[in-house]
């Protein structure tokens, strides 16, 4: 049965729009300022990195847009380790220049605490500009409904209390916060698929990587596996 939502599944032709939405969402945040302290360069660097990962998500996940194109979500299907984007090290260096290590530090901090079982990962929730709360809620609800039908739990990292509260309203539960380089925190969030809650499957209580392990090494960007 088709899933009816307020979102449309993104295609390659939508890539520029998704990159713009992610960039405009992240640029004014504390996290964006830490990743790229050089304000005149910030939007360009963030856009280049967003393009790398958005392209990769269209190969190894899904992306969704509100029907009016004003908000987007970008997801990875983490059923198994995902190969890194082609030429990732070189592309990241070209995109970030002297800020490259900050992106790597952030990625490693998040990857060490990601659930180790199969799940769908909400990597980006982008809804910049006025009326952000309503558009973020709409794009999350619409894309979440698609993800729920895939029989696996979903995972996200919220970087603000407002995004954490938004995820709570959409059925996510919080786990222990993740300290971030630069002094911020991320709120890891977990949601079971209501369509499969009674089945024996990956839709179960998450096992969390609580300490450095082989999972962290395997999922480290530097070793060739993905963690945006």
């Amino acid at each position: 049965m088709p899933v009816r939502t307020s979102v449309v599944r993104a295609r390659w032709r939508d890539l520029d729009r998704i990159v713009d939405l992610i960039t405009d969402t992240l640029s004014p945040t504390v996290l964006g300022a830490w990743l790229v302290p050089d304000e005149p360069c910030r939007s360009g660097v963030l856009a280049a990195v967003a393009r790398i990962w958005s392209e990769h998500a269209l190969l190894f996940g899904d992306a969704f847009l509100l029907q009016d194109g004003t908000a987007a979500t970008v997801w990875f299907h983490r059923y198994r380790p995902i190969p890194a984007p082609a030429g990732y090290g070189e592309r990241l260096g070209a995109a970030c220049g002297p800020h490259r290590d900050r992106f790597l530090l952030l990625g490693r901090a998040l990857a060490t605490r990601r659930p180790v079982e199969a799940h769908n990962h909400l990597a980006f929730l982008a809804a910049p500009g006025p009326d952000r709360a309503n558009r973020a809620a709409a794009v999350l609800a619409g894309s979440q409904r698609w993800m729920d039908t895939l029989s696996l739990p979903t995972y996200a990292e919220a970087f603000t209390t407002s995004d954490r509260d938004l995820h709570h309203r959409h059925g996510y539960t919080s786990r222990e916060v993740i300290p971030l380089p630069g002094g911020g925190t991320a709120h890891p969030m977990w949601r079971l698929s209501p369509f499969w809650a009674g089945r024996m499957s990956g839709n179960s209580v998450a096992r969390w990587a609580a300490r450095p392990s082989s999972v962290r090494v395997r999922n480290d960007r530097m070793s060739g596996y993905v963690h945006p």
Side-chain angles (χ1 to χ4, degrees):
M1 180 177 179
V3 177
R4 293 180 175 273
T5 72
S6 59
V7 302
V8 293
R9 212 171 197 170
R11 298 291 185 262
W12 284 99
R13 64 176 178 268
D14 302 311
L15 184 60
D16 288 346
R17 183 58 184 159
I18 293 169
V19 169
D20 287 346
L21 290 168
I22 294 171
T23 303
D24 291 346
T25 298
L26 186 54
S27 288
T29 66
V30 172
L31 179 60
W34 179 82
L35 286 168
V36 188
D38 186 354
E39 187 173 1
C41 297
R42 186 175 302 152
S43 290
V45 171
L46 294 176
V49 177
R51 181 173 297 276
I52 294 172
W53 289 110
S54 298
E55 287 178 357
H56 207 54
L58 293 177
L59 295 173
F60 293 95
D62 274 301
F64 298 91
L65 286 158
L66 282 185
Q67 291 182 353
D68 64 2
T70 61
T73 56
V74 176
W75 300 78
F76 284 98
H77 299 315
R78 295 191 180 277
Y79 310 150
R80 59 185 64 85
I82 302 172
Y88 179 66
E90 294 78 9
R91 291 184 70 186
L92 188 65
C96 301
H99 311 298
R100 174 179 179 271
D101 287 348
R102 293 185 177 231
F103 286 86
L104 292 173
L105 284 170
L106 175 64
R108 285 195 286 267
L110 298 176
T112 58
R113 297 285 295 277
R114 189 162 292 141
V116 297
E117 75 238 50
H119 61 279
N120 291 303
H121 174 209
L122 175 56
F124 298 106
L125 171 60
D131 197 31
R132 180 185 188 277
N134 287 334
R135 288 181 292 105
V139 75
L140 177 59
S143 58
Q144 184 69 60
R145 189 174 178 194
W146 278 93
M147 290 297 109
D148 284 344
T149 66
L150 300 180
S151 81
L152 288 176
T154 51
Y155 172 74
E157 294 113 353
F159 296 98
T160 66
T161 55
S162 60
D163 276 357
R164 179 201 62 192
D165 294 344
L166 171 64
H167 283 81
H168 282 160
R169 292 194 295 273
H170 286 81
Y172 284 80
T173 57
S174 294
R175 295 296 184 266
E176 185 179 354
V177 298
I178 302 172
L180 298 179
T185 57
H187 304 272
M189 315 292 294
W190 184 254
R191 186 184 195 276
L192 302 182
S193 168
F195 298 129
W196 292 77
R199 304 265 182 127
M200 294 297 292
S201 69
N203 194 34
S204 59
V205 176
R207 300 189 304 277
W208 302 85
R211 61 182 64 85
S213 67
S214 60
V215 172
R216 182 180 72 172
V217 173
R218 185 182 66 190
N219 283 342
D220 192 290
R221 282 180 179 170
M222 298 297 287
S223 66
Y225 287 90
V226 164
H227 57 68

